[in-house]
Every structure is written in structure tokens, then in C-alpha cells.
Amino acid sequence: MPSLQTVISCLSDYDPDALPVAQASRIIGEVVEPVRGTEQLALRAALGRVLAADVVSTLDVPAHDNAAMDGYAFAGSELAAGGEIALAVAGSAFAGGTGCAPIAPGTAARIMTGAIMPAGCDTVIPQEFVQVQGERIRFDAGAVRAGDNRRLRGEDLAVGQPALAAGRILRPADLGLLASLGVAEVKVRRRLRVAFFSTGDELRSIGEPLDPGCVYDSNRYTLHGMLRRLDVDLLDMGVVRDDPEALEAAFRSACENADAVITSGGVSVGEADYTKRIMARLGDVTFWKIAMRPGRPMAFGRIASHGREALLFGLPGNPVAVMVTFYHFVRAALHRQMGAQVRPLPLMRVRSAQPIRKKPGRTEYQRGILAQAADGSWRVSLTGQQGSGVLRSMSEANCFIVLGHEQGMVGAGDEVEVMLFDGLM
Ligand code: AMP
Ligand code: MG
């Protein structure tokens, strides 16, 4: 694994006190490596897990050319005559059947969806276009083209072709795809174990009285939720006081028991410096001020204790900043550590329903609601108060409005980029 210092020393324009988002992502991407362990799981249990090896198709799916509609199969060359086509019905083929005898010129076979195409046939005319007169059918040559309504052998998956690539996070369609190949078990990467805790003397846990000047610890709950959606094993270590011994013990225990450690709070300027000092003492950790809002201060690196190593993300304390930095840095890093293909969330351009204040020189992630306007077009508006402590802004939002580094003020009706997170959270 390359050390953080090695990666950073290769950058000519590195400034930890005004680090662009893209550069922070790049550094993290170069430092994080996938865990090695794998396990063999029954297909259903593999949902959401990361495929450890390519799956190559051992079957043609479908196994035969077959009908895509209920109707009559015939040779497409019959259509060349044009006008009204008349054919004698000479056989029938049903789904699950072994097919019917070859179909001679001038004849057709009654066929059901999924049935094997009889030899001599490459086209299906749907039954609704056909007039049946005893043992003959008639239809207009223009109602269908040669080759229509037929599924080709292997058109879904062909023998020897990669069906799914290693690194794939298995989704419902993938389970179905594997089932269509008759695959009962798959090899997946082992689950990541992620430890997390909140730091701060002002934090109280649910169930404790809220003393003056204190707040309930909400970050551990948003982190719990975001991590659950990533399908990792969780180690919730509670609230740790701003006390050097307690913090050191927590960091050590976290890194001895997990692949990654996520903390919130204690990395901002003006915070009691214990957290930073302890993080730095335990490993290869840098402290960044990222040119983004919210989420400016963040620590990243690797810590070690008693021969065990873990990735470390020291997130800011503010509740919205925790979520924004998680989605922009931690999610991709954990995906990489899980051995998953890293796919950034897609950005889409839509018009802003209102003006948005923005200064160039930092990337902003404002919380937005993407909704359909009366004219049917999609517009994004702000969720209101955008302070980095206003968690309601995240709760109400269905997207981030991503305002790039160079972007200045946005006028009503201007296009902006949005990153939808409905379904992700
Ligand atoms: P810090 O980064 O530790 O200076 O914290 C910044 C702000 O976030 C402070 O107002 C904290 O009270 C608040 N904060 C820090 N940690 C949490 C937490 N776990 N839950 C809710 N608020 C927090
Ligand atoms: Mg604090």
C-alpha cells in the first residue's frame, strides 16, 4: 500500500489548507486498497455484496431461438410477396415443449411466448394481426418485418462471455442473472468492519439528561444509517470525551477491531487538539481544510495499534458536514476497500427555481429538492436554512445541488448540477 506521504509528495500543487475536492478524492483513491478475504455465499445471501471474481456464462441464455409473442411462426422470406400473406397452419409449439417439426414454405406454426422457434421459421406474427380461417391464417405483409418477435439464442448471455465482472455490487437484477445461469453460489469479498465514534464533551447519548450547553449525539445515528446502506459490519463505540487517555484507548481499540475507523468532531481549528495529536501519533494521518462547504476540516490516513491497521476518517463535527463528507469521500473509499468498482453518483443538470448565493473558490453542496414544476419540467430549489448544523436541510432534501469550485452566484432559471440521493439514504 502506498503511504500517504508518498502519494502527497508526487503532487506539485498540494495545499492541505485549501485542498480542492477532486484532489482529496484522488489522494484517498490512491491510498486505499481492497481487503483480501473472500467467502462463498448462497445466491440470495449475496445481495449487496461485492463479487470477488468474474462470472463467465456457462450457458446460452436463452438456450434456443424462441418466440417473444403469442402468434404464428413462419419464414420471414414469405413476406417478400407483399400484400396479404396466406399460410397453412402445420404445427404448434408451446413454452417448455421440445418444439415442433420443421415448417415448410407456405406454412406456419401456432406458437406461444417462450416456445422454441421451429426449424424453418425466423419470424412471429402476433395473433392479434392474424385472421384465422380453419387451418389457414391470413395477415398483411406490412404488419411485421422478417426476424420480428423472435429472441435469439444467447442474446441475453452467451457461453464464454463475462456475465458479471469482479467488483460488482450485486443488485436484484444480478441475482436473477446468476440464477438464469443456474449459479447457486458466488464468491464475494468479505464484509468490511467499520468502527465509529463521536467525540465531544458537549455530547449526550439518547437516554441521558440534556445538561445546559449540551446536545444529543446525532452523528452516530446518521453514520449508522449511511454505513448500514453500504452493507458493512458496524462497531458503534459511542461517545468519547475530549480526554487524551479515553481518546487514545478508543482509537486503539477501533483500529484493532476494524478495517476502517470513522470519527466525528475534534478536527476543526480551535478544537482541543487531543484528537489530532493522538491520530497523528498512531499513524500516517494528514489534516486537511478542504475547499468545500460544508465539510471543510477532515483528517484522513491510516492508524495502527498492536500490529493492526485501519483506515481513518476524522470527519467534522457538524451534522450536515458529516453526511456531506461521508458521501463525497468515505463512501467511495469504503467501496474501494470492499473491492467494489467505484462509481461516483451521477450528476444531472437542471434549472434552479431560485437564485443561490455562491462564492467562487470552493465546492458547495447545498441541499435541494428536485421536483416537477407545473409545466412538467424538473426544477431544483433549496431546502431553506443551509447551515452545516441544520440537519433538517438533509432530512428534507432529495439531492445535493453541487456548485463547482469556480461557480459564482446562480440566477433563478440558471442550470445547476444536482446529485440525487433518493434511494441511497
Ligand atoms: P467540532 O468539529 O467538534 O468542533 O464540532 C462542531 C459542531 O458540531 C459543534 O457545534 C458540535 O456540538 C457539533 N457536533 C459535534 N459532534 C456532534 C455529534 N456527534 N452530534 C451532534 N452534533 C455534534
Ligand atoms: Mg468537538
Side-chain angles (χ1 to χ4, degrees):
M1 242 191 274
S3 84
L4 197 49
Q5 296 315 322
T6 315
V7 171
I8 287 168
S9 63
C10 298
L11 301 169
S12 54
D13 52 351
Y14 175 71
D15 176 4
D17 288 329
L19 193 67
V21 171
Q23 207 173 48
S25 297
R26 185 149 20 99
I27 295 169
I28 294 172
E30 284 182 35
V31 169
V32 180
E33 283 195 340
V35 293
R36 289 216 179 77
T38 61
E39 58 183 320
Q40 191 83 7
L41 290 182
L43 198 49
R44 288 190 189 91
L47 182 65
R49 300 292 297 273
V50 179
L51 201 59
D54 292 351
V55 175
V56 172
S57 180
T58 52
L59 296 177
D60 280 326
V61 179
H64 307 273
D65 290 4
N66 68 84
M69 302 281 278
D70 292 344
Y72 295 84
F74 64 100
S77 54
E78 307 275 7
L79 296 168
E84 192 179 62
I85 308 289
L87 300 171
V89 179
S92 55
F94 297 96
T98 50
C100 73
I103 291 301
T107 66
R110 175 92 178 104
I111 197 162
M112 296 298 167
T113 304
I116 299 176
M117 290 290 281
C121 299
D122 61 2
T123 307
V124 174
I125 176 88
Q127 59 193 14
E128 50 273 34
F129 295 115
V130 171
Q131 284 173 283
V132 184
Q133 291 160 336
E135 293 301 295
R136 295 186 74 74
I137 56 166
R138 293 174 181 284
F139 57 91
D140 186 74
V144 71
R145 287 164 309 170
D148 275 0
N149 306 314
R150 167 197 52 166
R151 304 173 182 142
L152 291 173
R153 169 183 184 154
E155 73 174 17
D156 191 351
L157 296 167
V159 170
Q161 279 189 358
L164 292 172
R168 175 97 186 163
I169 297 177
L170 295 171
R171 301 185 307 174
D174 303 326
L175 295 194
L177 198 82
L178 291 165
S180 75
L181 292 175
V183 171
E185 289 190 338
V186 286
K187 193 172 167 187
V188 298
R189 298 264 188 172
R190 74 165 174 82
R191 254 203 186 105
L192 281 193
R193 196 163 162 77
V194 180
F196 58 105
F197 57 88
S198 299
T199 71
D201 284 338
E202 78 282 24
L203 301 180
R204 293 291 175 272
S205 293
I206 299 174
E208 290 175 359
L210 200 56
D211 303 319
C214 291
V215 293
Y216 280 122
D217 170 16
S218 61
N219 290 343
R220 239 164 5 100
Y221 290 83
T222 48
L223 276 169
H224 172 97
M226 295 187 291
L227 288 166
R228 274 285 300 277
R229 293 282 163 99
L230 284 185
D231 203 11
V232 298
D233 284 333
L234 305 181
L235 187 58
D236 182 340
M237 298 179 58
V239 174
V240 179
R241 290 294 163 106
D242 290 320
D243 161 74
E245 272 167 36
L247 279 166
E248 175 157 354
F251 276 111
R252 285 188 179 280
S253 158
C255 107
E256 286 165 25
N257 291 291
D259 301 297
V261 180
I262 303 174
T263 64
S264 71
V267 290
S268 54
V269 184
E271 269 282 304
D273 270 340
Y274 311 130
T275 346
K276 290 193 200 171
R277 239 184 292 139
I278 294 160
M279 284 179 186
R281 186 139 46 83
L282 293 180
D284 186 18
V285 179
T286 53
F287 298 89
W288 289 332
K289 290 195 192 83
I290 300 177
M292 69 189 287
R293 203 163 103 154
R296 233 163 84 80
M298 192 175 104
F300 169 70
R302 226 183 269 123
I303 55 174
S305 176
H306 294 116
R308 303 289 300 268
E309 270 208 344
L311 277 185
L312 172 78
F313 297 92
L315 305 185
N318 275 309
V320 181
V322 166
M323 298 195 79
V324 171
T325 48
F326 185 93
Y327 282 114
H328 289 86
F329 303 111
V330 182
R331 179 177 175 274
L334 294 182
H335 272 159
R336 196 175 291 279
Q337 200 179 20
M338 287 175 201
Q341 293 154 359
V342 177
R343 295 224 193 108
L345 296 171
L347 286 172
M348 280 163 288
R349 296 192 70 83
V350 295
R351 292 191 188 284
S352 175
Q354 66 188 97
I356 304 175
R357 295 163 58 84
K358 164 72 170 62
K359 277 192 209 148
R362 65 188 183 208
T363 307
E364 289 192 11
Y365 300 90
Q366 304 218 11
R367 274 71 68 206
I369 299 172
L370 183 64
Q372 225 167 355
D375 66 0
S377 67
W378 288 85
R379 300 283 163 122
V380 70
S381 51
L382 291 170
T383 53
Q385 269 267 25
Q386 294 287 313
S388 64
V390 183
L391 198 48
R392 191 160 52 84
S393 70
M394 273 305 290
S395 177
E396 287 174 359
N398 61 6
C399 65
F400 289 118
I401 304 173
V402 183
L403 303 171
H405 197 83
E406 307 301 339
Q407 167 90 52
M409 301 295 258
V410 174
D414 287 357
E415 278 198 342
V416 289
E417 285 189 315
V418 298
M419 189 181 266
L420 261 181
F421 55 62
D422 255 358
L424 176 70
M425 298 189 178

